[in-house]
Amino acid sequence: MVPIDDTALAVTDTGGPGRPVVYLNGSYADQSHWRRVIADLGPGYRHITYDERARGTSRRATDYSFEACLRDLDAVLTARSVHRPILVGWSYGAMIAVHWAARNQGRAAGAVSVDGALPHEWLDDAARAQIRRLFRRLSPLFPLARPLGLAARMSAEQHAEINIESNELCAPAALGPVLDRVDVPTRYVLATGGNLGGDPELMEQIRSNLDPVLARNPHIRISAKVASNHSKILRKDFRAVADAVRELAPGSDHRAG
């Protein structure tokens, strides 16, 4: 366990001399979602996964903000003596990856965004109220969802506020400058269609909002757009995610030649 603030984080580190790859989970997910990507990449890399506060087997905390999650990443990198990692984030984790890379220029070797860190601006007061209602309705299912890595040990209100804050951070005026500051090779793996709570047409429009960013910042490219949706991408298209890592670290894979 890695201590940070008033909590402690469950960390798994395969060790070894390979290029370190740090995996950043979705909003309420745990580190188990990365097992297929890690298996596909193999032992040529040093794989580091961890559970955010109140997710997986990490302890609860009093602060579940996005800034707290950035501090958690710093704590894990320091505790495990990780230098120049490739940051691989899914959904919420993609936001952590690009924010950390933008704030710590030169400290990452690259970043992979898995259907996350996409500029959009659809959130208004009605949408905030809808999100809060949705999580209140879903709260009876949290005990069943937690063992699957789909819910945290938090209240419905805390789940909702994390979702609202992350959407606010995706507003073009907020996220655009962050993506413009990214100065390391960054690859996006995009899903297709909708997901739970996300209309397919809206999700595709959000993904297309990345186009102006690609035109402005040559460090950022799309590695692949895959058939699976947002929630299933790590399960069904893990090879595309692994291939994006290989683009950033050619020769690290034991199968590379």
Side-chain angles (χ1 to χ4, degrees), residues 126-174:
R128 290 180 181 89
Q130 182 180 8
I131 290 169
R132 293 184 177 107
R133 287 194 300 270
L134 173 64
F135 279 101
R136 283 196 296 270
R137 288 200 302 270
L138 292 175
S139 60
L141 300 177
F142 289 173
L144 298 175
R146 283 179 197 127
L148 302 175
L150 300 175
R153 295 191 312 282
M154 302 176 188
S155 67
E157 180 182 3
Q158 289 168 327
H159 278 81
E161 294 311 312
I162 287 171
N163 185 284
I164 290 168
E165 182 189 32
S166 65
N167 278 289
E168 290 172 342
L169 289 168
C170 285

Side-chain angles (χ1 to χ4, degrees), residues 182-220:
V182 170
D183 67 344
V184 296
T186 299
R187 300 292 180 265
Y188 274 72
V189 180
L190 299 178
T192 302
N195 60 284
L196 179 64
D199 174 76
E201 290 186 8
L202 174 61
M203 292 296 293
E204 286 300 292
Q205 178 58 53
I206 287 172
R207 294 177 184 116
S208 72
N209 290 345
L210 190 63
D211 292 344
V213 175
L214 301 175
R216 295 195 307 266
N217 190 339
H219 297 292
I220 301 176

